[in-house]
Amino acid sequence: MAVLGSAVALLGALTVLNLVLTYGLVRRVGALGPARPPGPIDAGSVGATAGEFEVRATDGTGVSRGDLPDGALVGFFSPGCEPCTELLPRFASAVRELRLPPARVLAVVAPGTEDPGPYTRALEGIARVVAGEEAVVVAEAFGITGYPVVCRLGSDGAVTVVDRDLRDLLGAGAAG
């Protein structure tokens, strides 16, 4: 009977240790930020065309796929996503360097784990900003499943460049 009691106690201790280690691993992976799985709009999606959408920007103006001009820059961000937080100031700086008017830049701020206010404030004035549930509609139209993503559109609305860190995009932006 004593052996059975010891075995049950050992098994219980091992189970608690397993739970503690699993919890620690989950917290550590969560601290790395949201996963950025390749979605339909990824490096292989050059030439893809976004689906139709009609939404309201944060300034109250309507935005649709047909409103996006040749060479439009579209950035997708999610507050709380560490790579998005790192990319946001570089994206804003690149828009200013390229001297793109706000009508040629669409910034999509999807619902995230943090307040979208700092994102929208950083992007308003340099881009048309779509946030919240309206942003979900745009992200679905583009097939976005991971953040951040920045793309440039061609004359026919097709994606000509897709980037996650602006290296490829700035090369294409400088040329186009």
Side-chain angles (χ1 to χ4, degrees):
M1 197 58 126
V3 172
L4 181 61
S6 297
V8 169
L10 179 64
L11 185 60
L14 287 174
T15 301
V16 169
L17 178 64
N18 185 26
L19 285 172
V20 168
L21 292 174
T22 301
Y23 177 74
L25 181 62
V26 167
R27 283 184 45 102
R28 185 165 184 113
V29 168
L32 295 175
R36 296 185 304 167
I41 296 290
D42 208 337
S45 297
V46 170
T49 303
E52 294 294 330
F53 63 88
E54 276 191 50
V55 295
R56 290 251 170 245
T58 56
D59 65 2
T61 60
V63 180
S64 70
R65 189 186 83 181
D67 294 332
L68 301 176
D70 179 20
L73 192 62
V74 185
F76 295 88
F77 302 93
S78 180
C81 154
E82 188 175 325
C84 296
T85 302
E86 293 170 5
L87 183 63
L88 181 67
R90 292 190 333 220
F91 177 81
S93 177
V95 168
R96 288 183 189 99
E97 279 179 35
L98 295 171
R99 294 188 175 119
L100 295 173
R104 290 191 59 202
V105 182
L106 180 62
V108 181
V109 182
T113 59
E114 294 180 5
D115 176 27
Y119 279 73
T120 57
R121 285 189 295 278
L123 294 163
E124 287 173 338
I126 63 165
R128 290 181 289 173
V129 180
V130 177
E133 293 306 313
E134 301 277 12
V136 173
V137 172
V138 178
E140 287 175 356
F142 274 83
I144 302 298
T145 59
Y147 297 91
V149 173
V150 181
C151 56
R152 185 173 286 267
L153 303 181
S155 60
D156 57 356
V159 175
T160 59
V161 179
V162 177
D163 206 349
R164 290 193 189 270
D165 62 10
L166 294 180
R167 276 183 281 188
D168 294 336
L169 191 75
L170 290 178

